[in-house]
Amino acid sequence: MKKIIVAIDGYSACGKSSTAKNVANILKYNYIDTGAMYRAVTLYFLQNFVSLTNPIEIENALKEIEIEFRHNPKTQKSDTFLNGINVEQEIRQMVVSDKVSEVSAISSVRRFLVAQQQKMGRKKGIVMDGRDIGTVVFPDAELKIFMTAEMITRAKRRQDELLEKGEMIDLEDIIENLKKRDMIDTSRQDSPLKQAEDAFVIDTTNITFEEQVEIIVEMIGSKIYES
Ligand code: DC
């Protein structure tokens, strides 16, 4: 069967990653969480005290970074590895969330990661989620989805996710972090988060997770059938 590229963009904590992961599982597609790649770079910068205002330091640091996704047979999920070390848990912590939008606004970081993402999509059969997938990484993707949800819904979902990992964070702090990230993500000069003109918008505030997955799987079916 013909394989396509599915680009899923949208704000933080709208359910992009979990939806994309499930859709990819159902269709036996590869799933790539590009946010995890920006988070892994942020973690490396924090661990190595890389100055975000020093372009040479940043270029040198990027040369030392290797990011991979490896299947975890225990969780049946894909884990993020930074230079051979599993950082899946660490990259989701608030210290990383607090800095990641700033790091992802740096053009050299974006160039470095976009090139790797485009390589991953060469064989198609991929579901990729992020902020610039339908606009920059794969402007010719066969299917583009833009996901949104109300702020309070997003914050509660993020709080539950963090709680599951043992981090208890006040809802107000999460809302503040999400607002700050929305502002930086949508207003940065290089590849700001915006809806591609040909993207389908899915507001996940009032639909269940299962419905989100079903809607996208059906859309993919129609795209494959159309072409
Ligand atoms: O999806 P996430 O919350 O894990 O993403 C973390 C940050 O990475 C987010 O604040 C913006 C940035 N990002 C980006 O700029 N471009 C992408 N394709 C993916 C994420």
Side-chain angles (χ1 to χ4, degrees), residues 32-160:
I32 304 293
D33 172 0
T34 62
M37 300 171 82
Y38 286 93
R39 286 171 179 273
V41 170
T42 305
L43 179 65
Y44 183 91
F45 284 6
L46 285 171
Q47 285 172 339
N48 294 279
F49 308 101
V50 176
S51 158
L52 302 189
T53 52
N54 185 333
I56 297 175
E57 241 182 69
I58 292 170
E59 283 291 350
N60 287 336
L62 291 175
K63 286 184 198 139
E64 303 298 322
I65 296 178
E66 205 183 285
I67 299 166
E68 290 166 85
F69 293 106
R70 294 189 204 160
H71 182 73
N72 182 336
K74 265 196 206 149
T75 57
Q76 287 297 313
K77 287 180 184 161
S78 167
D79 286 348
T80 313
F81 280 70
L82 170 63
N83 294 335
I85 295 167
N86 189 334
V87 291
E88 188 56 38
Q89 302 296 325
E90 259 179 296
I91 59 168
R92 311 286 166 193
Q93 289 173 349
M94 277 299 264
V95 274
V96 175
S97 299
D98 270 341
K99 271 270 166 272
V100 66
S101 282
E102 235 178 289
V103 171
S104 54
I106 301 170
S107 292
S108 54
V109 171
R110 303 205 71 83
R111 273 199 307 275
F112 173 73
L113 293 179
V114 168
Q116 296 180 28
Q117 291 154 7
Q118 289 173 333
K119 222 163 142 189
M120 291 169 179
R122 254 187 224 147
K123 290 190 188 142
K124 303 230 173 185
I126 195 165
V127 183
M128 191 174 275
D129 84 54
R131 305 292 186 289
D132 59 341
I133 312 305
T135 50
V136 175
V137 183
F138 296 121
D140 297 326
E142 287 85 348
L143 180 64
K144 297 179 189 178
I145 310 280
F146 191 86
M147 284 173 75
T148 67
E150 278 171 13
M151 177 55 82
I152 189 72
T153 310
R154 294 165 58 198
K156 281 185 181 154
R157 284 180 188 156
R158 185 48 51 92
Q159 191 182 40
D160 289 346

